[in-house]
Amino acid sequence: MNHKEGSLNIMSNSYSIAVIPGDGTGPEVVREGIKVLESASRRFGFKMDFSHYDLGGDRYLKTGETLTDSIIEELRRHDAIYLGAIGHPDVKPGILERGILLRLRFELDQYINLRPIKLYPGVECPLKDKGPEHIDFVVVRENTEGLYVGGGAFLRRGTPNEVAIQESVNTRLGAERCIRFALQYCRKRNKSRKLTLCGKTNVLTYAWDLWQRTFEEVSKEYPDIQTDYAHVDAITMWFVKNPEWFDVIVTDNMFGDIITDLGAMIQGGMGIAAGGNINPEGVSMFEPIGGSAPKYTGKNVINPLAAICAGGMMLEHLGEDAAAAAVEKAVMEVTGKHINSLAAGRMGYSTSEVGDLVADYVSRL
Ligand code: IPM
Ligand code: MN
């Protein structure tokens, strides 16, 4: 919710943020993110109240609970959610991901997964001859449908004749609202005003027929946006060979999951990659995408920049554009002038020192 509307501009904007530090290094990186958000709120004159929720592996191991209905209701009453990481070495893979992360995305109808892929100055890029001028695009991933709905069945499970069916659900409404968001985002971003649909029309002839028809129809309403299409397999080649071709990409849930991890690698890795799970009409959630990194937990060596960037995305979403721009600028100062590497333990600074550096730049910008 943007509290600007209707205010007399006498009182500053105030936001209530639900914080889910989560597992592993989540709490460490979230602490630095909040440090930077607090610096930004002092510098740019708004208020943030943080309420912490102890969701994650430890709570699950103690209580058997991943997420409760009443917590979901409480989360709905916040302006945004700030998430650290979900994933615990003692919990079977899938339980926390489905029980917390995916459940929140679905129940809060966060139908967009927004993933900026931007190479910041000073960051080592694995692509030969590519620099910050070549890598700056955004993936808009559908976040509530496709293969992620969990529909399917087993037949004759455990027998030699076993059948497993995993269904991809694609709705007109789901594709349309995602494509519309991408078109509007592309317009607002105003870079090359080019939107690429990433699909697989040559093989997945039902799902991608629906997506393509919707894309063609809806994009007619946005004549200022140039449209393009690429198959998902080809797009993985172009990410490596010609990342400068892209401005905004829109795709489904599964393809988006895959191509955004490749995107994270070409922007310097999990130390910097952030994402937003967005419901433009509801409560959105911002997270570093790197996971809980158990082996670095509690060592003060994990890179907090991804969490800090997620905080910056949250500020932009809340309408605090100047503060969001300052956070990004500060991160660029730190990657460009300070840290040696984005990798955990090789930054030349500790987790909290990196947070201090960014917070300090923000206060002076
Ligand atoms: C992501 C993650 C999740 C996904 C996992 C943890 C369920 O990989 O946010 O991309 O597949 O969406
Ligand atoms: Mn993923």
Side-chain angles (χ1 to χ4, degrees):
M1 250 157 281
N2 186 337
H3 291 231
K4 270 178 190 153
E5 277 164 63
S7 84
L8 290 167
N9 273 338
I10 297 166
M11 277 172 58
S12 63
N13 294 325
S14 169
Y15 307 100
S16 72
I17 308 298
V19 182
I20 307 174
D23 300 316
T25 51
E28 286 166 72
V29 297
V30 156
R31 196 175 307 133
E32 302 315 309
I34 290 178
K35 191 188 276 178
V36 171
L37 289 168
E38 281 178 334
S39 173
S41 69
R42 281 191 298 275
R43 166 68 183 79
F44 293 91
F46 56 89
K47 269 193 74 206
M48 292 204 134
D49 292 314
F50 299 97
S51 11
H52 286 250
Y53 289 84
D54 68 344
L55 302 172
D58 288 330
R59 180 188 172 116
Y60 173 75
L61 290 170
K62 252 186 260 141
T63 66
E65 260 167 24
T66 45
L67 190 58
T68 64
D69 293 346
S70 72
I71 291 178
I72 294 186
E73 288 320 305
E74 281 181 44
L75 293 175
R76 280 187 209 283
R77 292 197 289 272
H78 288 80
D79 292 312
I81 303 168
Y82 188 44
L83 171 72
I86 297 292
H88 193 290
D90 302 334
V91 180
K92 208 172 120 215
I95 294 183
L96 301 172
E97 292 88 331
R98 277 198 304 276
I100 301 176
L101 186 63
L102 297 182
R103 180 152 176 226
L104 284 173
R105 288 178 182 170
F106 279 74
E107 295 231 11
L108 300 177
D109 202 19
Q110 293 164 340
Y111 60 87
I112 299 297
N113 192 315
L114 191 66
R115 280 278 297 111
I117 314 282
K118 186 165 174 179
L119 180 64
Y120 288 138
V123 172
E124 202 186 321
C125 175
L127 305 181
K128 194 166 152 277
D129 301 330
K130 299 291 179 192
E133 67 279 24
H134 301 109
I135 301 175
D136 180 8
F137 60 91
V138 178
V139 178
V140 175
R141 161 185 172 190
E142 201 292 320
N143 211 30
T144 55
E145 299 194 341
L147 284 164
Y148 276 71
V149 299
F154 287 118
L155 287 176
R156 304 187 289 267
R157 187 165 187 275
T159 74
N161 297 325
E162 176 162 355
V163 179
I165 298 166
Q166 191 83 47
E167 291 162 340
S168 174
V169 173
N170 297 264
T171 70
R172 167 73 198 210
L173 182 141
E176 180 167 339
R177 66 184 181 173
C178 180
I179 289 165
R180 213 172 266 290
F181 180 94
L183 285 158
Q184 280 160 10
Y185 189 85
C186 192
R187 180 179 277 172
K188 175 168 173 242
R189 173 175 154 89
N190 200 20
K191 197 177 169 234
S192 3
R193 291 200 173 212
K194 182 172 139 192
L195 179 65
T196 305
L197 177 68
C198 164
K200 192 71 187 173
T201 52
N202 52 349
V203 177
L204 306 178
T205 49
Y206 300 106
W208 286 98
D209 191 84
L210 170 63
W211 272 84
Q212 194 168 40
R213 271 185 286 118
T214 309
F215 185 71
E216 278 163 15
E217 264 175 60
V218 179
S219 58
K220 284 203 185 85
E221 294 171 38
Y222 298 78
D224 53 317
I225 308 293
Q226 188 197 331
T227 57
D228 193 11
Y229 172 83
H231 292 318
V232 61
D233 49 346
I235 225 166
T236 63
M237 296 196 307
W238 308 135
F239 273 22
V240 173
K241 200 160 175 288
N242 301 98
E244 64 280 3
W245 283 356
F246 298 106
D247 178 13
V248 179
I249 296 169
V250 62
T251 189
D252 80 354
N253 209 341
M254 187 77 255
F255 293 166
D257 180 47
I258 297 165
I259 67 171
T260 55
D261 268 17
L262 177 56
M265 285 302 123
I266 68 172
Q267 73 180 127
M270 292 302 176
I272 196 81
N277 301 275
I278 294 178
N279 176 343
E281 297 88 35
V283 184
S284 301
M285 175 166 75
F286 298 85
E287 52 169 342
I289 72 161
S292 57
K295 73 174 177 189
Y296 297 118
T297 301
K299 299 203 163 90
N300 204 21
V301 296
I302 193 78
N303 184 345
L305 288 178
I308 291 170
C309 290
M313 291 180 74
M314 181 166 77
L315 290 175
E316 186 179 348
H317 178 78
L318 293 169
E320 296 293 342
D321 290 1
V327 170
E328 181 171 51
K329 185 115 193 291
V331 167
M332 285 161 74
E333 293 285 342
V334 171
T335 59
K337 298 192 185 140
H338 296 273
I339 64 177
N340 301 331
S341 156
L342 295 185
R346 285 195 273 133
M347 299 188 290
Y349 296 84
S350 68
T351 305
S352 47
E353 284 169 343
V354 173
D356 289 341
L357 278 170
V358 181
D360 187 53
Y361 273 113
V362 167
S363 72
R364 291 188 285 116
L365 281 168

